[in-house]
Amino acid sequence: MSETTHDGTVAVSPPVPPDEGLTAAQLAAKYGLTVSGARPSLVEYVRQLWGRRHFIVAFSQAK
């Protein structure tokens, strides 16, 4: 941002970062961050397990 001062010079103020004043929790929510070590719910775990069933079977039968 810039604005003209009373003597005709241009004063430039640094732009305010859009994330200034937000807490860590607010920043995480804004950018969709989650706890990296968080465990999924039981339903989500079963869904992931079902999606990987072909790999699990192949891995268990590999020599």
Side-chain angles (χ1 to χ4, degrees):
M1 288 191 166
S2 64
E3 50 189 61
T4 306
T5 60
H6 66 280
D7 61 354
T9 60
V10 176
V12 178
S13 58
V16 177
D19 298 333
E20 189 173 315
L22 297 178
T23 65
Q26 291 170 328
L27 283 170
K30 179 179 177 180
Y31 292 105
L33 301 177
T34 59
V35 177
S36 62
R39 293 182 179 176
S41 66
L42 180 60
V43 174
E44 181 59 27
Y45 178 76
V46 171
R47 186 176 292 123
Q48 290 175 5
L49 192 63
W50 183 254
R52 297 177 179 134
R53 68 189 181 279
H54 301 293
F55 171 78
I56 295 168
V57 170
F59 189 76
S60 68
Q61 295 174 350
K63 292 184 181 180

